[in-house]
Amino acid sequence: MALNKSTVNERLPEQNRDGGIEQDWAGNDQDWWDWYVTLAANENVPTELVDGPGLPDVEAATDEQVQRELSEPYDLDPAAIASFAREAFVRLPAVLSPAVVRRLAERLEELLRDEHGDDVAGRFTALEQMWLHDDLMRAVALSPRIGGLAAALLDEPGVRIYHDNALSKEPGCGRTPWHHDAEHFPLQTTQAVTAWMPMSAIPGRMGPLSFARGREVLGEVSDLEFDKVGTSYDEAVSRRFVERDVSVESGPFAVGDVSFHSALCFHTAGPNLTTQPRRALATTYFADGARVVDSPTLISGTWREFLPGVEPGGLAASDLNPVVGRRG
């Protein structure tokens, strides 16, 4: 069911309600997410929530074990690099051990509760820049393993961190709209990638990330007009993909799976129809040497927090964007 425009408009900061998208976002990061999920079309069909898979049934790793695992290289199959180049995404198995996932999930629960409390049913709650104040989240965001995979998949000598992100789709939360991240990141490059690290297994009813296959998919929908106050864009993309037989990968995630999706990759996620929050850590990296676009939009959200002191057109290399991954 598409929300009516007056309802959606109320989720926009007052300063952003008039005009188009060619303006700075006026709210905070959580305001942005509360607005963004209203752009997804959802069926108005009552559905009973089922039990989620729970956290990995293992003893949690120690913080030292987390640091050690995230510092070690991952044996990346050349076929995975070729698949990423062709499809604009790849899902890699066993990037994180179940014990590390368990420890990260427990810490993330604490951080999200401290930030948002317990009254979050049906919402999409988020938390960014955790690495600036939490040692365990810093180990993830600056991980040589994850950053090295990002550099290898992008085939870049070095990649910088844009931001880290905790994404919690609470029980009963609806879909995430179809989108690609090149319109979100205010960068003059599409050489950017996000590592999506689930904090449990993600079965189908929990809303795993789903990817449209192929770098050329962007051209299939480039003529569609984005709507900041309704679900028309999400619905139009869905129809176009069906009409043109675009293949979509929407399978479940096993514990330890990590996906990497390019800024060119169109992706979405289904509703969370379980009683367990669908949580993931997501860290975005971009090619060293990239610059900020001349005219960021409200879709870029609170980008100045991630690139402090960098103005439009400037080199994207603030103190909060160290090189964290190198090819090879």
Side-chain angles (χ1 to χ4, degrees):
M1 177 184 69
L3 297 174
N4 65 59
K5 293 199 174 189
S6 63
T7 300
V8 175
N9 194 54
E10 292 173 359
R11 301 291 180 90
L12 283 165
E14 187 172 355
Q15 300 94 312
N16 294 135
R17 294 180 184 179
D18 295 328
I21 65 172
E22 303 298 328
Q23 52 184 299
D24 286 340
W25 179 254
N28 62 32
D29 183 67
Q30 186 57 54
D31 293 334
W32 191 92
W33 283 107
D34 288 338
W35 160 70
Y36 199 66
V37 294
T38 66
L39 304 183
N42 285 279
E43 295 182 1
N44 189 22
V45 179
T47 305
E48 182 179 356
L49 302 182
V50 301
D51 290 340
L55 299 185
D57 188 18
V58 296
E59 182 178 353
T62 66
D63 288 6
E64 291 75 17
Q65 289 170 332
V66 173
Q67 293 264 8
R68 185 163 57 250
E69 181 171 304
L70 290 173
S71 296
E72 296 171 349
Y74 178 88
D75 187 13
L76 183 59
D77 189 335
I81 299 176
S83 179
F84 180 83
R86 182 177 62 254
E87 305 286 11
F89 75 92
V90 69
R91 185 164 55 198
L92 302 177
V95 176
L96 304 174
S97 68
V100 164
V101 172
R102 175 90 193 206
R103 176 64 186 118
L104 294 176
E106 291 175 349
R107 181 59 182 143
L108 185 55
E109 164 73 23
E110 296 169 348
L111 292 171
L112 286 168
R113 184 185 295 115
D114 288 346
E115 179 70 17
H116 297 294
D118 296 318
D119 186 18
V120 293
R123 291 182 64 196
F124 193 116
T125 56
L127 191 58
E128 295 181 330
Q129 299 297 73
M130 299 172 292
W131 71 277
L132 299 181
H133 55 79
D134 186 85
D135 290 342
L136 203 56
M137 294 298 110
R138 184 178 302 113
V140 178
L142 305 186
S143 162
R145 169 175 287 204
I146 307 300
L149 284 169
L153 292 169
L154 290 175
D155 194 22
E156 290 286 343
V159 293
R160 293 181 180 271
I161 184 173
Y162 180 53
H163 64 65
D164 68 352
N165 207 349
L167 303 173
S168 185
K169 184 169 280 194
E170 306 298 341
C173 182
R175 290 182 54 249
T176 309
W178 278 109
H179 64 285
H180 68 291
D181 293 336
E183 62 188 359
H184 292 176
F185 309 146
L187 301 170
Q188 295 181 24
T189 181
T190 55
Q191 283 290 84
V193 65
T194 297
W196 198 77
M197 299 166 271
M199 294 293 96
S200 70
I202 309 289
R205 287 181 65 87
M206 209 172 187
L209 212 57
S210 300
F211 313 94
R213 294 184 177 278
R215 289 180 176 269
E216 74 286 349
V217 165
L218 180 58
E220 301 284 356
V221 294
S222 60
D223 62 315
L224 300 180
E225 184 177 357
F226 180 80
D227 181 2
K228 72 175 185 179
V229 294
T231 61
S232 62
Y233 181 74
D234 178 56
E235 294 169 336
V237 171
S238 295
R239 286 194 301 270
R240 184 67 59 83
F241 285 169
V242 171
E243 292 167 357
R244 301 193 177 178
D245 295 322
V246 173
S247 176
V248 176
E249 167 56 45
S250 58
F253 280 66
V255 172
D257 285 358
V258 173
S259 66
F260 290 78
H261 59 270
S262 161
L264 294 173
C265 176
F266 260 86
H267 54 287
T268 183
N272 180 10
L273 302 179
T274 76
T275 58
Q276 176 182 334
R278 189 222 68 181
R279 289 184 175 146
L281 292 172
T283 306
T284 296
Y285 308 89
F286 62 89
D288 184 24
R291 306 186 78 84
V292 174
V293 296
D294 292 333
S295 300
T297 73
L298 63 81
I299 304 178
S300 296
T302 58
W303 70 273
R304 292 181 184 274
E305 295 180 8
F306 314 138
L307 296 160
V310 180
E311 293 301 319
L315 186 65
S318 79
D319 290 342
L320 300 190
N321 312 111
V323 174
V324 297
R326 296 189 183 279
R327 183 179 55 205

